[in-house]
Amino acid sequence: MCGIVGYAGKRQAAPILLDGLSKLEYRGYDSAGICVQGERELRVFKAKGRLKVLSDQISGGAAVPGVVGIGHTRWATHGAPSNINSHPHLSDSGKIAVVHNGIIENEARLREWLIGKGWHFRSDTDTEVISNLVGYYYDKLHDFPKAVRAAIKRVEGSYALGILCADLPDMVIAVKKDSPLIFGYGEGENFIASDVPAILKYTRTVSYLDDGDMAVFTPDTVRFFDSFGDEIRKSRETVTWEISAAEKGGFDHFMLKEIFEQPKALRDTISPRIRDGRLELGVELSAEFLRKLHRVYFIACGSAYYVSVLAKYTLEKACKVAVEAVMASEFRYSDPIVDDHTLVVAISQSGETADTLAALREAKSRGAKTLAIVNVVGSAVAKTADQTIYTWAGPEIAVATTKAFSTQLAVVYLLALHMAKQLGTLDEAEIARLLGELQKLPEQVERELREENIERIQYYCSRNYAHNSAFYIGRNLDSAVCLEGSLKLKEVAYVHSEAYPAGELKHGPISLIEEGTTVVALATIPALFDKTISNVREVRARGAEVFCITLEEFAERAGKVSQYVFPVPAAEPMFQPSLSLIPLQLVGYYIALNRGCDVDKPRNLAKSVTVE
Ligand code: F6R
């Protein structure tokens, strides 16, 4: 939700800001804007719509001279997407410019107070409250850092801010709470950004700002302060990602690239945790704690929640513990039964999803032991949980998740095996066998991504893209995979779609099946194959067009009742969802492509959802 960048150096700032923003568009793309320090004034350029609109208006930045600036790409919360509501926002005095990622919760009260002091507002945004508040204190204190500190003290909510002051042309101030912000060190230049890809081209040396931290920087200097205003030292970290990880690398879209990166992402996530055939997960979940467990909660949002649903099936079977998967947005307000015999696992790619973070904090406050499964290193969820297991998916840029989902699921398998070992619900030999099977997954996914399989999916999608209603049906683990497949279709192809356990369809939704309704049936569980196929027969009898995903050995039988069949390799049953998922991701992608949708940036969405 919104991306911010900042630069102070010796090069022209505008092209660097625009380039950085282009790597953050996944965070929102309702509007974009930059502010560059001119000779004696702050020069703001902003435009509704994609970054390209702004970039074209200012000739890629060439039209805006200046070596210090800030930039923003927006996902609208307060106020509709418009030129006026775009960031940066200037204070009424014109002295202060602000870019902001987050939400100011006491915006109305502060706005009223500032209006009472004679300050005017031009936009509907909560951010303008910050520019005016800093402007107000700057007029009083004549000290830019002190003015920012005074303003921040009065603000409630979440923020990552980049701030300029017209009187200090080489200085940028950055401050954060509950929204991510990194500081990048260059040679005679310094950077801030919401995420690493925005500055990776210029530097690999970064510091992750913590809540309450403030960075005051110029091209050659940086000083960090904590929330009490005391100067602090920040540790420097080296980012190890390849720059190519944040580029499309010959693929038409990030989503397709990331689908194809899944074998590597799975390998990177699984291999380091298995040494000489033994599982080394690197978490402390002792047998003593696990034996006394009352319950495990998985909390997450969207696709990560669907991983949680799969985790419920997986852990209950392997570890014989009671597991609940709860949407993070519901967990917090449901008075969950949590005590110190509860394990709460939060799953998040970004590690900054507001609902997940709030639910995790709630769980901690109730005494649960907490564990996070996170992709973004050093993110808020990772820092908040007692322990973190990272998914090594690399940067995921497409708004719709693919490789992060796959790696989250792989970590769930590893966690299930770790717990089963501690609890003794699976014996050593069985665990060793399962680890061997798990290591086969990357190669099996590779096989699924072969040309002939892609062509098969392309053919199906080219004939079925026009349907506006779809059902995804399956049983047990398959029904949970359907949730993710259906979401992919909804979010990138804008097709109304429902995922339903196949046996449940006849209790209501079957009334929606008519001539031409798309049904995607997952039938990959041998013991349930016949039952699911009976449900396929029921929808076929009512006119549905069925695309059936099943194991290679069942393909022929599935073909007798379905118009289209996609065979997937058989994995160890527990790990089968990782393979059933792949064709569903591809169906979402190719249907969207056929419908002319903007696959990487679906309408109304942003990748990091930092509002509740
Ligand atoms: C769907 C998708 C979202 C995210 C959800 C949680 O393709 O990407 O549903 O899974 O917003 O995001 P994270 O994992 O960053 O907490």
Side-chain angles (χ1 to χ4, degrees), residues 301-304 347-351 353 399-401 408 487-488 491 609:
C301 300
S303 292
I347 306 183
S348 176
Q349 187 284 130
S350 63
T353 302
V399 165
T401 183
Q408 286 162 355
L487 180 63
K488 290 279 99 60
E491 64 182 340
V609 186

Side-chain angles (χ1 to χ4, degrees), residues 479-490:
S479 81
V481 178
C482 283
L483 294 165
E484 173 62 1
S486 172
L487 180 63
K488 290 279 99 60
L489 191 70
K490 275 190 266 247

Side-chain angles (χ1 to χ4, degrees), residues 261-410:
E261 281 173 348
Q262 287 176 112
K264 177 178 182 323
L266 283 168
R267 230 170 252 127
D268 290 350
T269 301
I270 296 168
S271 307
R273 273 106 188 199
I274 303 173
R275 297 243 167 89
D276 303 326
R278 296 175 70 84
L279 176 58
E280 289 179 15
L281 195 51
V283 288
E284 252 186 64
L285 290 172
S286 67
E288 196 196 350
F289 169 75
L290 291 173
R291 276 196 207 104
K292 289 184 191 150
L293 259 186
H294 291 162
R295 174 190 327 235
V296 182
Y297 281 107
F298 279 80
I299 49 170
C301 300
S303 292
Y305 165 71
Y306 299 147
V307 174
S308 305
V309 177
L310 284 159
K312 174 180 166 68
Y313 284 102
T314 309
L315 262 75
E316 287 193 339
K317 187 147 195 213
C319 314
K320 312 291 174 230
V321 287
V323 179
E324 279 195 46
V326 186
M327 289 174 187
S329 54
E330 288 296 313
F331 181 85
R332 192 179 176 195
Y333 303 108
S334 63
D335 197 11
I337 303 168
V338 174
D339 55 25
D340 51 4
H341 296 293
T342 310
L343 173 65
V344 172
V345 186
I347 306 183
S348 176
Q349 187 284 130
S350 63
E352 57 175 297
T353 302
D355 287 318
T356 308
L357 194 56
L360 181 61
R361 287 182 176 148
E362 179 70 27
K364 273 190 96 165
S365 74
R366 289 176 182 239
K369 194 175 187 82
T370 57
L371 178 67
I373 299 174
V374 174
N375 195 41
V376 176
V377 174
S379 54
V381 170
K383 282 185 177 168
T384 304
D386 299 330
Q387 305 183 70
T388 297
I389 308 175
Y390 283 110
T391 49
W392 298 119
E396 194 180 59
I397 311 285
V399 165
T401 183
T402 51
K403 61 176 179 171
F405 185 100
S406 279
T407 52
Q408 286 162 355
L409 196 49

Side-chain angles (χ1 to χ4, degrees), residues 124 186 283 412:
D124 304 319
V283 288
V412 163

Side-chain angles (χ1 to χ4, degrees), residues 119-423:
W119 287 70
H120 297 99
F121 285 80
R122 285 168 191 82
S123 76
D124 304 319
T125 65
D126 51 344
T127 304
E128 206 180 354
V129 154
I130 303 180
S131 51
N132 271 343
L133 207 54
V134 178
Y136 170 82
Y137 283 112
Y138 182 68
D139 280 3
K140 276 179 72 165
L141 303 168
H142 307 292
D143 182 309
F144 182 29
K146 278 191 182 151
V148 172
R149 182 62 67 207
I152 286 314
K153 271 200 185 128
R154 301 199 51 184
V155 163
E156 288 162 22
S158 59
Y159 47 81
L161 300 166
I163 313 175
L164 298 179
C165 175
D167 295 340
L168 294 159
D170 67 347
M171 184 181 283
V172 183
I173 294 187
V175 56
K176 85 141 229 154
K177 179 180 162 267
D178 288 342
S179 293
L181 197 58
I182 53 164
F183 184 88
Y185 304 83
E187 295 274 322
E189 56 186 359
N190 287 311
F191 306 81
I192 49 160
S194 300
D195 196 1
V196 171
I199 59 170
L200 203 51
K201 212 179 195 174
Y202 311 102
T203 180
R204 290 179 169 279
T205 312
V206 302
S207 289
Y208 295 92
L209 268 62
D210 289 308
D211 281 353
D213 285 358
M214 179 160 120
V216 179
F217 66 98
T218 65
D220 298 304
T221 61
V222 57
R223 296 177 74 192
F224 294 103
F225 302 89
D226 66 13
S227 56
F228 303 107
D230 293 330
E231 190 154 359
I232 49 169
R233 290 176 67 85
K234 297 291 296 178
S235 63
R236 294 185 185 209
E237 327 244 337
T238 304
V239 178
T240 53
W241 296 352
E242 291 307 318
I243 294 176
S244 61
E247 308 283 346
K248 276 191 212 147
F251 285 88
D252 288 339
H253 296 98
F254 279 112
M255 181 174 175
L256 191 61
K257 178 184 177 232
E258 288 161 7
I259 288 173
F260 273 83
E261 281 173 348
Q262 287 176 112
K264 177 178 182 323
L266 283 168
R267 230 170 252 127
D268 290 350
T269 301
I270 296 168
S271 307
R273 273 106 188 199
I274 303 173
R275 297 243 167 89
D276 303 326
R278 296 175 70 84
L279 176 58
E280 289 179 15
L281 195 51
V283 288
E284 252 186 64
L285 290 172
S286 67
E288 196 196 350
F289 169 75
L290 291 173
R291 276 196 207 104
K292 289 184 191 150
L293 259 186
H294 291 162
R295 174 190 327 235
V296 182
Y297 281 107
F298 279 80
I299 49 170
C301 300
S303 292
Y305 165 71
Y306 299 147
V307 174
S308 305
V309 177
L310 284 159
K312 174 180 166 68
Y313 284 102
T314 309
L315 262 75
E316 287 193 339
K317 187 147 195 213
C319 314
K320 312 291 174 230
V321 287
V323 179
E324 279 195 46
V326 186
M327 289 174 187
S329 54
E330 288 296 313
F331 181 85
R332 192 179 176 195
Y333 303 108
S334 63
D335 197 11
I337 303 168
V338 174
D339 55 25
D340 51 4
H341 296 293
T342 310
L343 173 65
V344 172
V345 186
I347 306 183
S348 176
Q349 187 284 130
S350 63
E352 57 175 297
T353 302
D355 287 318
T356 308
L357 194 56
L360 181 61
R361 287 182 176 148
E362 179 70 27
K364 273 190 96 165
S365 74
R366 289 176 182 239
K369 194 175 187 82
T370 57
L371 178 67
I373 299 174
V374 174
N375 195 41
V376 176
V377 174
S379 54
V381 170
K383 282 185 177 168
T384 304
D386 299 330
Q387 305 183 70
T388 297
I389 308 175
Y390 283 110
T391 49
W392 298 119
E396 194 180 59
I397 311 285
V399 165
T401 183
T402 51
K403 61 176 179 171
F405 185 100
S406 279
T407 52
Q408 286 162 355
L409 196 49
V411 171
V412 163
Y413 301 147
L414 291 165
L415 180 65
L417 295 182
H418 174 88
M419 286 174 57
K421 185 176 170 193
Q422 299 290 321
L423 289 164

